[in-house]
Amino acid sequence: MFNRRKFIKASALSAGLLAIDKSSIANVIPREETKTENFPIVISTWDFGIAANADAWKVLSTGGRALDAVEQGVWVPEADEHNQSVGYGGLPDRDGHVTLDACIMDELGNCGAVLALEHIKHPISVARKVMEKTPHVMLAGDGALQFALEQGFKKENLLTPASEKAWKEWLKTAKYAPVMNIENKLYQKAAPQKLPGNQYNHDTIGMLAIDVKGNISGACTTSGMAYKLHGRIGDSPIIGAGLYVDNEIGGATSTGVGEEVVRNVGSFLVVELMRQGYTPEAACKEAVMRIIKKKPETAKNIQVGFLAINKKGEYGAYAIQQGFSYAVCNAEKQDLLIKGKSYY
């Protein structure tokens, strides 16, 4: 006989099976892509990112690919002789060599980078050639220059009179010694406003873009820390440190003293935190806090900032010190400059 107790048990079992079935179906059927009015969009580090974004927007606003946009965008500071921290006109190392670092990454996970490249005005484009024309990810030094010349790039003198003058002035008090960040100590008392890597010495442009198809790409390029040891490489050309893109989640880039970003695999960390559900700003903040927690005394005297964007086109940033800003360009506004939040 089918009594009341059996009826209740049977009803409960049916409800449970129905819930399991719905859950299974939800996991099998792909979710519709989140539609947003945030696309296309491009963001980049520092105030000179406004001009860089403007050129990137020329590509994005006409339906172009994010990869082309970020390359074209960072060409602007790379070619600006008045910008002494990126490309042509960049401050040299302590031996007087202008050495450039850059990397680029597309929506498919393809990436390319050049390290300690001399005599080429647009290292970002050489990095793209490494990505597209070779089986490698990184080329360095003389090998990177040889490859660039083979690809048709023009060899130029990147040390401008202004940067050479600044270098020679620095030499009057500089002592050549292989001590990490000795330039920081030299500037600490004499001219703290010029402390390499601080909020007044912008050392990188990192750019992230999402095109009309919702695909993400990024670029990062720099002439590195002023008066560094010859051959020093920071985070900018290192995939996962200075730049990382995961087309399912978002992208991140960094600026500041690259050594600390490398030690924490900063940009990769930010993207993985966004994968866990962090907002872009919260992810950037957590990456900054990792640096501060590991080296609290060092962190008081350096600047590191992270900038990120997620798949929805939401963006955010966070830095150790005040002074970090980032530029945003979309259909609504092309010259937005935002003051990034900071720990100090």
Side-chain angles (χ1 to χ4, degrees):
M1 183 179 292
F2 198 81
N3 58 28
R4 177 180 172 82
R5 182 175 296 174
K6 289 181 179 179
F7 176 79
I8 292 173
K9 286 183 178 180
S11 298
L13 179 61
S14 297
L17 288 172
L18 183 59
I20 293 172
D21 187 53
K22 286 182 178 179
S23 176
S24 299
I25 291 172
N27 288 330
V28 171
I29 298 176
R31 296 179 181 179
E32 185 179 351
E33 284 284 334
T34 303
K35 294 186 189 236
T36 175
E37 296 180 358
N38 291 341
F39 304 157
I41 183 172
V42 56
I43 61 176
S44 58
T45 55
W46 303 112
D47 50 0
F48 51 71
I50 293 176
N53 286 354
D55 267 31
W57 186 248
K58 293 175 184 178
V59 176
L60 294 174
S61 62
T62 55
R65 187 181 174 195
L67 181 68
D68 296 325
V70 295
E71 180 188 17
Q72 185 166 317
V74 301
W75 279 348
V76 175
E78 282 185 339
D80 183 1
E81 67 177 283
H82 301 294
N83 184 333
Q84 292 184 302
S85 62
V86 180
Y88 177 59
L91 291 171
D93 60 26
R94 61 189 61 199
D95 291 343
H97 300 278
V98 178
T99 60
L100 309 180
D101 306 315
C103 71
I104 195 166
M105 192 169 188
D106 70 10
E107 74 276 12
L108 302 174
N110 299 313
C111 48
V114 289
L115 296 73
L117 174 64
E118 296 186 54
H119 306 300
I120 303 297
K121 185 177 288 185
H122 292 298
I124 195 66
S125 295
V126 184
R128 183 170 178 175
K129 290 292 185 182
V130 172
M131 178 179 75
E132 296 178 339
K133 301 292 186 180
T134 81
H136 310 307
V137 170
M138 294 184 284
L139 291 179
D142 291 341
L145 176 59
Q146 178 183 338
F147 173 76
L149 296 175
E150 290 172 351
Q151 294 297 313
F153 290 87
K154 179 184 175 183
K155 188 174 181 179
E156 302 179 57
N157 176 21
L158 303 181
L159 184 62
T160 60
S163 291
E164 184 176 14
K165 180 181 179 181
W167 169 62
K168 288 181 177 178
E169 187 65 28
W170 176 82
L171 283 175
K172 293 178 182 179
T173 56
K175 180 181 178 182
Y176 187 95
V179 178
M180 182 180 69
N181 291 336
I182 190 173
E183 54 272 15
N184 287 15
K185 297 175 183 177
L186 290 169
Y187 275 123
Q188 195 75 46
K189 295 180 180 179
Q193 74 276 12
K194 294 183 179 179
L195 181 67
N198 77 358
Q199 61 264 43
Y200 303 108
N201 187 346
H202 309 167
D203 67 341
T204 305
I205 182 166
M207 178 177 284
L208 301 161
I210 306 180
D211 57 33
V212 291
K213 294 182 179 179
N215 289 324
I216 311 169
S217 291
C220 189
T221 180
T222 184
S223 55
M225 190 175 285
Y227 318 127
K228 61 198 174 187
L229 287 173
H230 184 60
R232 176 264 186 188
I233 303 296
D235 65 309
S236 297
I238 308 299
I239 298 297
L243 175 72
Y244 193 72
V245 171
D246 185 322
N247 206 44
E248 292 183 354
I249 306 300
T253 188
S254 63
T255 185
V257 178
E259 283 77 1
E260 302 312 317
V261 179
V262 170
R263 289 187 178 103
N264 292 274
V265 198
S267 291
F268 178 78
L269 172 60
V270 171
V271 173
E272 287 304 296
L273 288 168
M274 290 195 294
R275 189 188 304 278
Q276 295 173 24
Y278 283 63
T279 64
E281 182 184 306
C284 291
K285 181 177 180 179
E286 176 59 25
V288 164
M289 295 310 300
R290 298 278 180 97
I291 294 173
I292 294 173
K293 289 174 183 177
K294 287 181 180 180
K295 292 192 173 185
E297 292 305 311
T298 299
K300 292 178 182 179
N301 298 309
I302 65 169
Q303 173 69 305
V304 171
F306 291 100
L307 175 64
I309 193 167
N310 65 19
K311 189 67 173 177
K312 296 178 182 179
E314 299 166 336
Y315 51 82
Y318 201 84
I320 297 178
Q321 310 287 347
Q322 293 182 12
F324 175 54
S325 60
Y326 62 98
V328 179
C329 176
N330 54 29
E332 184 178 343
K333 190 172 178 61
Q334 282 79 58
D335 60 351
L336 182 62
L337 185 67
I338 299 176
K339 180 181 178 180
K341 295 180 180 180
S342 65
Y343 181 76
Y344 291 113

